[in-house]
Amino acid sequence: MNIKNVPVNTPLLDGNELIYLTECIKTGWISSEGPFIKKFEDEMASYVNRKYAIAVSNGSAALDIAIRALDLELGSEVIMPTFTIISPAQSLINSGLVPVLVDCEEDTWNMNTNLIEQKITKKTKAILVVHIYGLPVDMKAILNLCKKYNLKLIEDAAEMHGQKYDDAQCGSFGDISIFSFYPNKHITSGEGGMIMCDDLLLAERSRKLRNLAFEPNGRRFVHEEIGWNYRMTNMQAAIGLAQLEKINEHLIKKRRVGEKYFKELNDLVGFNLQKHKTKNSTNIYWVFGLVAESEKLANDMVNFLTKNKIGTRPFFWCMHEQPVFLKMGLFRNEKYPIAEKIARCGFYIPSGLGLSENEVDYVITKMKEFVR
Ligand SMILES: Cc1ncc(COP(=O)(O)O)c(C=O)c1O
């Protein structure tokens, strides 16, 4: 096989991206005031089945706004997984809230919902779920807990475009939910994010926070509170809209690659995969990850793949082991054994939409060669 190198991600931009972008340039609408913003928001809202969508500059910005918009009392506790990207924890802390961590499940790598109730105290005001790598969190269990303890639900569906839990789209569950459109996602806008909700007041507040908290009806440049400039540009929305038009094709392609990897690598000695299916969902394989039985095995495999010009990325690093949080006095002496193991021994292989069949075959062949 004549393969030069296989990057861990390449986006696929083969729809109307160039036509829409050209329109931005020709009309001069390049800021956040242009018409593609509303179109992208409306189409996303309709796709995810939500009343409101607010486009922002990236997924982390969406989390900042979503969390602030809920106006939880300072010092409130919010339960979230330890195994995730830093963005949700960072947003909570920046808003004066306290992240309370939970370990994950060995087979889905998602937050273990059986471990949540023991973490609920009088200060708990919300659960922040993060759907990990392609499989949704067990939402029935989460919704029951939110109802029982009167908790708000923040849903980080950054990696989950088009994934469903039973018949409902991920991103449709949270009181407030978010997506990211970074180029490794099922649909991209270069950089980008979206906040989704059904509550008019939350939507209005999110819009305000995204735009320096300008008062929508007050005198311009007079502010009652502070927010951010987290606006998305018309050019980003143009790309995002073109991508959304092709989401079904993207999902089919991602699933095809994921299923092939799953079939071929499921028996790879020394490595475990994320489940292909749960009773509520089938994996959409945002990324295709493997967890080695030991850290050494993971490192050896990654080095072997690197030598063969195959890109990999390590898994997320747990929140309770982040130097920055330990320095802040958070999570000291907390232990979450499953997340720790997954973080140390997990990595993902090329999973982007631009991957060719030949490249997938090459990755599989090399991984099998390593094990032999
Ligand atoms: C679960 C999760 N949340 C939030 C983010 C942050 O999104 P962004 O990179 O657009 O800021 C990511 C990024 O991949 C993510 O995976």
Side-chain angles (χ1 to χ4, degrees):
M1 239 179 274
N2 185 19
I3 304 266
K4 285 209 180 97
N5 71 71
V6 192
V8 78
N9 177 59
T10 20
L12 189 63
L13 301 158
D14 64 351
N16 285 323
E17 291 83 357
L18 195 55
I19 295 172
Y20 293 168
L21 270 177
T22 307
E23 200 175 314
C24 296
I25 305 292
K26 282 193 172 158
T27 57
W29 284 116
I30 54 171
S31 76
S32 59
E33 299 277 318
F36 282 118
I37 303 279
K38 181 153 183 344
K39 279 189 203 156
F40 186 31
E41 289 176 338
D42 288 350
E43 292 299 320
M44 269 299 284
S46 137
Y47 183 75
V48 182
N49 197 19
R50 305 248 31 182
K51 278 197 188 141
Y52 306 105
I54 298 98
V56 292
S57 47
N58 57 66
S60 306
L63 277 165
D64 278 347
I65 292 180
I67 287 164
R68 185 72 60 82
L70 286 174
D71 273 330
L72 303 176
E73 196 183 323
L74 286 183
S76 297
E77 294 174 2
V78 178
I79 295 180
M80 60 166 284
T82 188
F83 183 72
T84 176
I85 197 165
I86 199 164
S87 311
Q90 170 182 292
S91 296
L92 290 173
I93 291 167
N94 281 337
S95 273
L97 303 169
V98 182
V100 173
L101 304 177
V102 170
D103 205 351
C104 56
E105 298 173 329
E106 210 157 6
D107 52 358
T108 67
W109 308 338
N110 271 314
M111 173 154 71
N112 185 337
T113 54
N114 294 322
L115 301 175
I116 294 178
E117 202 157 15
Q118 67 203 58
K119 295 276 180 143
I120 295 177
T121 70
K122 284 203 182 86
K123 286 189 167 173
T124 311
K125 291 292 178 298
I127 300 178
L128 191 162
V129 296
V130 185
H131 307 295
I132 297 287
Y133 294 165
L135 273 182
V137 175
D138 180 1
M139 291 312 295
K140 270 189 201 129
I142 296 285
L143 291 171
N144 284 339
L145 286 167
C146 286
K147 197 164 169 205
K148 183 168 170 192
Y149 292 97
N150 191 24
L151 304 175
K152 294 284 182 209
L153 177 56
I154 305 156
E155 184 185 10
D156 181 343
E159 309 168 354
M160 250 353 94
H161 321 73
Q163 176 58 296
K164 287 183 176 170
Y165 177 89
D166 290 337
D167 291 330
Q169 287 282 340
C170 286
S172 68
F173 290 96
D175 289 290
I176 196 155
S177 306
I178 71 100
F179 287 95
S180 159
F181 303 112
Y182 190 73
N184 59 4
K185 301 301 189 295
H186 283 76
I187 58 170
T188 182
S189 58
E191 295 280 352
M194 191 90 69
I195 300 151
M196 326 276 306
C197 62
D198 295 329
D199 181 283
L200 176 63
L201 291 178
L202 271 183
E204 283 178 344
R205 191 147 157 70
S206 299
R207 282 210 181 94
K208 180 176 162 186
L209 288 169
R210 134 181 106 172
N211 190 22
L212 292 174
F214 275 114
E215 293 296 330
N217 303 314
R219 185 197 181 284
R220 190 110 175 132
F221 304 114
V222 177
H223 299 261
E224 300 288 340
E225 63 174 331
I226 51 174
W228 297 271
N229 174 357
Y230 280 164
R231 302 182 299 252
M232 178 184 269
T233 69
N234 199 44
M235 296 178 289
Q236 288 167 283
I239 299 175
L241 183 69
Q243 290 268 302
L244 185 55
E245 290 167 355
K246 299 202 73 171
I247 191 165
N248 289 336
E249 273 175 53
H250 288 195
L251 284 164
I252 290 168
K253 169 139 203 219
K254 280 283 229 187
R255 278 211 159 107
R256 194 171 64 230
V257 170
E259 279 163 19
K260 182 158 193 183
Y261 275 145
F262 188 86
K263 186 162 152 260
E264 296 288 339
L265 302 176
N266 199 19
D267 297 328
L268 205 66
V269 178
F271 295 87
N272 291 309
L273 308 179
Q274 191 177 30
K275 261 189 169 173
H276 176 55
K277 253 177 192 280
T278 62
K279 63 181 191 305
N280 312 94
S281 309
T282 304
N283 209 320
I284 52 165
Y285 297 109
W286 169 53
V287 292
F288 195 92
L290 297 100
V291 176
E293 275 172 5
S294 70
E295 216 172 333
K296 178 174 182 319
L297 184 61
N299 289 337
D300 288 350
M301 174 65 105
V302 165
N303 290 338
F304 176 81
L305 294 176
T306 308
K307 264 194 214 119
N308 284 285
K309 308 251 182 299
I310 296 172
T312 60
R313 285 279 182 287
F315 272 14
F316 295 137
W317 193 248
C318 300
M319 293 307 106
H320 68 283
E321 297 196 296
Q322 294 290 348
V324 59
F325 295 148
L326 292 169
K327 273 187 256 168
M328 293 165 93
L330 289 163
F331 316 133
R332 292 234 171 118
N333 304 318
E334 293 186 22
K335 291 266 168 262
Y336 302 98
I338 294 175
E340 286 165 23
K341 161 95 203 277
I342 288 172
R344 283 172 175 71
C345 304
F347 62 94
Y348 61 87
I349 55 181
S351 312
L353 278 156
L355 210 57
S356 72
E357 295 283 336
N358 266 350
E359 288 172 328
V360 175
D361 289 340
Y362 175 72
V363 174
I364 292 168
T365 306
K366 285 292 161 192
M367 294 191 87
K368 289 184 172 172
E369 191 181 309
F370 170 85
V371 170
R372 270 202 304 277

